[in-house]
Amino acid sequence: ISLVFFFHSSLSHRFIAKPCALGLKVQANGPQKAQPNAILEKVFTAITKHPDEKRLEGLSKQLDWDVRSIQRWFRQRRNQEKPSTLTKFCESMWRFTFYLYIFTYGVRFLKKTPWLWNTRQCWNGYPYQPLMPDLHYYYIVELSFYWSLMFSQFIDIKRKDFGIMFTHHIVTVTLITFSYVTNLTRVGTLTLCLHDAADVVLEAAKMANYCKCQKLSDLLFLTFAIVFIVSRLGIYPLWILNTTLFELYEALGNFPALWVFNMLLVILQILHWFWSYLIIKAAYKAISKGKVAKDDRSDIESSSDEEETVPRSKTPHSTITTNGTGGANGTNGYLTGGTCSDEH
């Protein structure tokens, strides 16, 4: 099923998301490309993408460029490997569609179950609880999607918190699999549905940002911040962790699976705290500056000196050299307006 998600994602990008993006006038161009330079390209590909001060000084003498121009070249060279706004819009639209579907499905399924209204029902008759077809489908679809996310993370937009996200996907896949094998699926459905709620708003905020609908993006981001913090710092520990740490122990006593399950849930809570810090930080900027500031997880590097696009030579006669990098603002407007800290 994970392969089906990969296939469906590519079809969705090409035949649904891309036409929608073009209709909304989402930019198809990516970050500005660095000026071709054989020496710097060799260093970039064969030695390092982040040269230290000593290497920068050596390159500065060799090319007769100042250090800031060389730093700018490496920054633009790193950025040009990043995807365009169009690609990012398509990715967000695919995830938005999935999260909206699976969250709606989860709500419709759970509102008919007794454990939604009384978490102690999660443990009645355990472990001899029947695996209902709807619950089985819900679990398999969620597990397959997170498997696809874990693999696609290596080819999708690479964020600064790649390690944290990879850890999250590992914990999530392990948690879903472990709860399915040990038949702890009732509380698992509650956890899945609770997490999907914020992700729907997050992807909507990203799409609004890529469409340059700043006010809508800001509103959606602040809505996401509220939903995320309430659900993951409030409802999750008071509802999910309370029943797994205390009600489960009271109902069934001590057994090995209980500790493994709770350990994974607590790790998930730690990740929630980390992302909540980033979200609160971004929300504070949004309130203090009147709009959502650049994404702390942005895949595009920026600098305050991006307006300066021609490498400054050490000698006056070489200020018109073609070794510079042209274009205004360095990254074609990709430096601002990014909303949303992580996604899960």
Side-chain angles (χ1 to χ4, degrees):
I1 298 180
S2 297
L3 294 176
V4 173
F5 273 116
F6 272 121
F7 181 69
H8 188 274
S9 175
S10 63
L11 290 180
S12 175
H13 284 196
R14 183 173 181 179
F15 297 109
I16 300 176
K18 187 174 181 180
C20 290
L22 295 176
L24 293 170
K25 299 181 179 179
V26 176
Q27 293 182 356
N29 58 310
Q32 180 183 353
K33 293 185 177 181
Q35 180 75 20
N37 185 291
I39 295 175
L40 295 180
E41 184 68 26
K42 184 177 180 180
V43 173
F44 182 87
T45 56
I47 303 177
T48 179
K49 295 182 179 181
H50 298 271
D52 56 22
E53 185 176 348
K54 184 177 180 181
R55 191 176 299 279
L56 287 171
E57 291 177 354
L59 290 170
S60 175
K61 294 177 181 179
Q62 185 176 359
L63 296 172
D64 198 26
W65 288 15
D66 68 3
V67 171
R68 290 181 66 191
S69 298
I70 296 174
Q71 288 176 324
R72 187 182 306 111
W73 187 94
F74 274 92
R75 182 169 53 252
Q76 291 181 333
R77 181 63 181 84
R78 291 192 295 268
N79 284 342
Q80 77 181 48
E81 297 183 345
K82 305 297 169 53
S84 66
T85 303
L86 177 63
T87 301
K88 291 187 283 186
F89 178 90
C90 292
E91 177 187 320
S92 288
M93 186 172 182
W94 156 243
R95 293 189 181 187
F96 170 80
T97 303
F98 174 81
Y99 286 131
L100 181 61
Y101 164 74
I102 202 64
F103 176 69
T104 304
Y105 180 90
V107 170
R108 292 181 61 186
F109 166 71
L110 286 171
K111 70 180 183 180
K112 298 180 293 185
T113 63
W115 59 86
L116 174 64
W117 317 107
N118 180 9
T119 53
R120 292 184 182 274
Q121 291 290 328
C122 291
W123 321 118
N124 281 356
Y126 182 84
Y128 305 106
Q129 297 171 340
L131 184 63
M132 297 178 289
D134 290 346
L135 191 153
H136 174 75
Y137 171 79
Y138 190 25
Y139 247 73
I140 293 300
V141 171
E142 287 273 21
L143 179 60
S144 300
F145 181 72
Y146 279 105
W147 268 114
S148 70
L149 283 186
M150 189 164 63
F151 290 128
S152 64
Q153 191 179 11
F154 294 96
I155 58 176
D156 282 344
I157 304 163
K158 191 169 184 178
R159 302 286 189 175
K160 292 178 181 179
D161 64 348
F162 174 87
I164 296 293
M165 284 306 303
F166 187 71
T167 302
H168 171 269
H169 295 329
I170 289 290
V171 172
T172 303
V173 168
T174 304
L175 189 55
I176 295 174
T177 304
F178 183 81
S179 63
Y180 184 84
V181 171
T182 56
N183 206 26
L184 294 165
T185 52
R186 291 187 177 183
V187 72
T189 57
L190 299 178
T191 306
L192 290 170
C193 191
L194 182 65
H195 281 71
D196 290 335
D199 293 330
V200 175
V201 189
L202 171 63
E203 299 303 334
K206 288 182 180 180
M207 289 191 295
N209 177 62
Y210 299 145
C211 293
K212 296 186 177 180
C213 299
Q214 190 63 50
K215 291 184 178 180
L216 178 59
S217 176
D218 293 348
L219 177 62
L220 287 171
F221 174 74
L222 294 177
T223 303
F224 160 74
I226 294 170
V227 173
F228 187 97
I229 292 171
V230 169
S231 62
R232 312 224 182 162
L233 298 189
I235 299 175
Y236 179 78
L238 296 177
W239 193 38
I240 303 298
L241 291 182
N242 176 67
T243 191
T244 59
L245 288 171
F246 303 109
E247 294 178 353
L248 174 57
Y249 183 81
E250 291 175 7
L252 303 173
N254 188 15
F255 59 102
L258 180 149
W259 298 105
V260 176
F261 190 54
N262 280 310
M263 180 187 68
L264 293 171
L265 291 172
V266 169
I267 292 174
L268 206 56
Q269 180 62 67
I270 293 172
L271 295 176
H272 294 165
W273 290 334
F274 171 76
W275 284 314
S276 294
Y277 163 75
L278 296 181
I279 292 168
I280 292 172
K281 183 179 177 182
Y284 174 77
K285 291 180 181 179
I287 295 172
S288 62
K289 296 183 179 180
K291 65 179 182 178
V292 176
K294 183 176 75 69
D295 187 352
D296 284 329
R297 298 178 56 247
S298 177
D299 48 295
I300 300 296
E301 299 176 59
S302 62
S303 172
S304 59
D305 64 347
E306 280 301 312
E307 294 82 6
E308 198 173 346
T309 57
V310 179
R312 295 176 298 172
S313 172
K314 293 180 179 179
T315 55
H317 71 272
S318 60
T319 56
I320 58 173
T321 178
T322 57
N323 285 336
T325 55
N329 291 331
T331 55
N332 290 333
Y334 281 75
L335 301 184
T336 58
T339 66
C340 319
S341 287
D342 200 2
E343 48 177 291
H344 292 289

